[in-house]
Amino acid sequence: MVQHRIWFDRRFALGLPVDAFPDIVERLRGTPARLEERLHGLTTTVLTRRDSERWSVQENVGHLLDLEELWDRRLDDFDAAREILAEADLQNRATHEANHNARPIADLLAAFRRARGRILDRLEAMDDDALRRTALHPRLQQPMTVVDLAFFVAEHDDHHLARISELLRRQV
């Protein structure tokens, strides 16, 4: 099996055209359903089993939920024409401290669906000029547009969906 890529080692080809936006939005819209389908019928034991010190399936879901707040703040940054986007907590303290394994998976999935819906509402309300706004991503040290941010979030979603699949394969 191909080794799972390390998120912080990834580099991104940014500068996507505005006409890529509808396709990217559909990826973002599909993440809650993809998670729900992938996790349907799994036991709490399977969902909360940790891989050594790495997050469980359920903690990966919780992490996606935790980061919706960051994406929302970054959209605020674009709206306010800030030069630099809000920084992420690279230690992921929110996820480590949240105890996502103690929550019912249905609650996490529902909360993620609601949070993602709010992000999608904001994105879909933007016109072409808003989608072209640029700000510097603090970790990547690359300028990105709203379209690029949406792509970055979709890639992050897929990264964690792939990690969840990897964790589930190891438990079979």
Side-chain angles (χ1 to χ4, degrees):
M1 189 57 144
V2 174
Q3 181 69 17
H4 192 80
R5 295 187 286 181
I6 297 170
W7 177 255
F8 291 121
D9 291 347
R10 300 254 334 252
R11 297 292 169 252
F12 299 88
L14 302 178
L16 296 167
V18 170
D19 65 1
F21 185 68
D23 297 337
I24 296 167
V25 166
E26 290 309 315
R27 281 178 68 190
L28 295 172
R29 184 185 327 282
T31 302
R34 291 166 63 201
L35 280 169
E36 291 161 4
E37 179 181 320
R38 188 72 176 103
L39 305 181
H40 179 75
L42 297 177
T43 66
T44 300
T45 301
V46 168
L47 293 169
T48 60
R49 183 175 296 134
R50 296 196 87 205
D51 178 15
S52 186
E53 292 301 310
R54 298 174 76 190
W55 294 333
S56 67
V57 168
Q58 195 154 307
E59 288 167 319
N60 275 273
V61 173
H63 174 69
L64 291 174
L65 172 60
D66 295 338
L67 285 187
E68 291 299 286
E69 180 182 327
L70 174 62
W71 311 138
D72 201 39
R73 283 196 331 261
R74 287 180 172 173
L75 290 176
D76 290 343
D77 292 339
F78 281 112
D79 287 345
R82 292 189 183 101
E83 292 182 17
I84 301 174
L85 297 172
E87 288 194 42
D89 170 15
L90 301 181
Q91 304 306 311
N92 292 305
R93 284 185 300 257
T95 303
H96 289 290
E97 295 170 2
N99 196 16
H100 291 301
N101 279 342
R103 292 180 67 183
I105 190 64
D107 290 356
L108 286 172
L109 292 168
F112 178 69
R113 182 176 281 283
R114 283 190 305 275
R116 179 54 59 89
R118 288 188 296 272
I119 296 289
L120 289 166
D121 288 345
R122 288 189 71 180
L123 289 170
E124 291 176 327
M126 292 182 166
D127 62 20
D128 287 4
D129 288 338
L131 296 174
R132 288 187 183 97
R133 289 182 188 139
T134 303
L136 184 72
H137 186 284
R139 179 177 64 83
L140 298 176
Q141 290 296 297
Q142 288 181 264
M144 67 171 35
T145 64
V146 174
V147 176
D148 293 327
L149 176 64
F151 172 73
F152 184 81
V153 173
E155 287 291 298
H156 184 262
D157 289 353
D158 288 351
H159 172 81
H160 284 281
L161 283 159
R163 176 67 181 139
I164 286 167
S165 291
E166 178 185 356
L167 287 166
L168 293 174
R169 276 192 305 274
R170 288 182 182 182
Q171 292 189 47
V172 174

